[in-house]
Structure formats: C-alpha cells, structure tokens
Amino acid sequence: MKSKLEPLIFSLLVLAVMGVVPNLFAAAQAGYAKFSVLGKYFLIPSVLIMVILIPVIYVRGFHQLAGQIMAGLGGGLLGTLGLEVVRHSGFLLGGMPGELPKLMGVLLLDQFAQGPDIWSNLAGWGYHFWTGAAFGIIYTLLFGKGSIVKGIGYGVLIGIGFMASPAALSLGVGLFGANFGWGFPLTVTLAHVAFGGILGFFVKRKIQQAPNILDRVKTVYSK
C-alpha cells in the first residue's frame, strides 16, 4: 500500500544522493580526500543508486515524481551543454585559465603525473555532465515545475558557489577570479545563466505539474 510519506522519503533520498555529487571535486581540492577515492566511494555509487531508484519510484506508482526526476536529469544535461558553449568560448577568448573537466579527469583516475588521455578525458567530462544532471534533479525537486527566471537565478547561485569554492581556487585564479581578471567571473556567470535558463525552460516545458519538496511535506501533514 502506498502512503503519503513515501514520495517525500524518495525525494529526500534522491536529494541526499545527488547533493553529494557536485561537492566531491571541491572536497578533494579542500584536502578531505583524493578525488579518485571520493569517486570510487561516492560518485560511482550515486550513479548506481539512481539507476535503481528511478525504476523503483516508477514501479511504486509515483509516476509524477519519476517524471520530475527525469525532467531534471535531462534539463541538467542540456543545460551543461549550453554552459559548455559559453565556457569554451570564454576559454578561447582568454576568460578561463584551462579545461577544468580534463583536470578533473586526471585527478579522478589518479594519473596527474601521466597527464590527460582519452580515458581521463571521458572520466572528467562524465563527472562534469553528471554534476549538471545532479543540479538539474535537485532543481526540480526544490522548485517543482519552476520557471526560466527561477532557473537562471538557480544557475547564478551555482556559479557564485563555484567561484568561491576550492574547485575554482585549484585553478589558481583566486577567490572569484581576482588573480585572473574580470573575464573569469564574467565567463562563469554567463555560462551558469545559460545553464539555468536552459534547465528552467526544459523543466517547465517537460512537466505539467510537479510539487516541490515543501509541497510534499505539507501533503504528509495534511489531514
């Protein structure tokens, strides 16, 4: 028998699993553990858990929640593509110091001394896009159907968090790119505006109705 509590539990579980993913690289750069270790014990399990969870949620009859998660995942992936168009353009124009996904790849496979190769590049880009998917899933669970404006605001907040995190400091640009010039914060902000705008548009068009996490809490405690 289904209960009103079940969708909330599934939502919180997904938020917990996906909330870990974007913080792994920052945690590694902050010195908590090697990125390769965090990838083994957190990144790979996050993928496996979601591969299991989404069908389980659907089979349990919570089609709206499953659709919500898939919309966030798809919007996050598409948003990351948009982000990359802006980020790579900024890189070519001198607004970015390097290719962060390649750096993440060599650290993820623990081959910093050898440098990047095709496998490390695949690993780095895979993590980059899975992070985008994670942010997309988190967005739709927090905001429900949301809107383009909410998506852009969400993307900008992610960009600010990135520029203030150990992940950005690992590039040697300083806090908010202070050591690199105005091109860095401009590129990062525009890239995340693109991410959030595409995410917000995709989710809004993809799902008709979707309660946010607070709506699910209210449903549990309503008579």
Side-chain angles (χ1 to χ4, degrees):
M1 180 183 294
K2 294 187 292 184
S3 72
K4 294 189 293 184
L5 184 60
E6 223 175 326
L8 176 61
I9 292 174
F10 278 128
S11 297
L12 291 174
L13 181 57
V14 171
L15 279 174
V17 173
M18 292 291 92
V20 169
V21 175
N23 294 300
L24 295 179
F25 183 65
Q29 295 307 300
Y32 291 107
K34 293 177 69 173
F35 193 33
S36 56
V37 174
L38 295 175
K40 179 179 179 180
Y41 290 105
F42 291 97
L43 178 58
I44 295 174
S46 77
V47 178
L48 296 177
I49 290 171
M50 290 305 298
V51 168
I52 296 170
L53 260 182
I54 294 173
V56 169
I57 291 170
Y58 190 86
V59 169
R60 286 294 299 154
F62 302 116
H63 300 166
Q64 185 183 63
L65 177 57
Q68 208 173 330
I69 293 169
M70 291 304 297
L73 190 152
L77 293 176
L78 288 175
T80 304
L81 279 175
L83 179 149
E84 276 305 305
V85 170
V86 178
R87 186 201 64 81
H88 189 67
S89 299
F91 169 68
L92 294 177
L93 294 171
M96 296 287 288
E99 297 281 5
L100 184 58
K102 291 184 178 180
L103 172 61
M104 293 190 293
V106 296
L107 294 176
L108 190 57
L109 297 189
D110 198 18
Q111 58 181 55
F112 191 79
Q114 299 97 307
D117 59 22
I118 185 171
W119 298 112
S120 68
N121 287 341
L122 285 173
W125 283 103
Y127 173 71
H128 183 46
F129 273 86
W130 186 238
T131 297
F135 276 126
I137 292 170
I138 292 168
Y139 168 81
T140 190
L141 291 179
L142 291 181
F143 297 101
K145 187 175 181 178
S147 66
I148 296 175
V149 173
K150 287 181 180 178
I152 290 174
Y154 179 73
V156 170
L157 287 176
I158 294 171
I160 291 172
F162 168 74
M163 289 187 286
S165 74
L169 297 178
S170 69
L171 297 174
V173 298
L175 191 66
F176 289 94
N179 300 335
F180 193 78
W182 61 267
F184 181 82
L186 178 62
T187 300
V188 171
T189 300
L190 291 178
H192 284 84
V193 165
F195 172 82
I198 293 171
L199 171 62
F201 175 80
F202 183 86
V203 170
K204 185 173 171 31
R205 290 292 299 271
K206 195 69 176 177
I207 53 181
Q208 296 301 314
Q209 287 184 330
N212 59 41
I213 196 72
L214 290 179
D215 293 330
R216 296 193 188 281
V217 172
K218 291 176 183 177
T219 298
V220 170
Y221 289 100
S222 64
K223 293 183 179 181

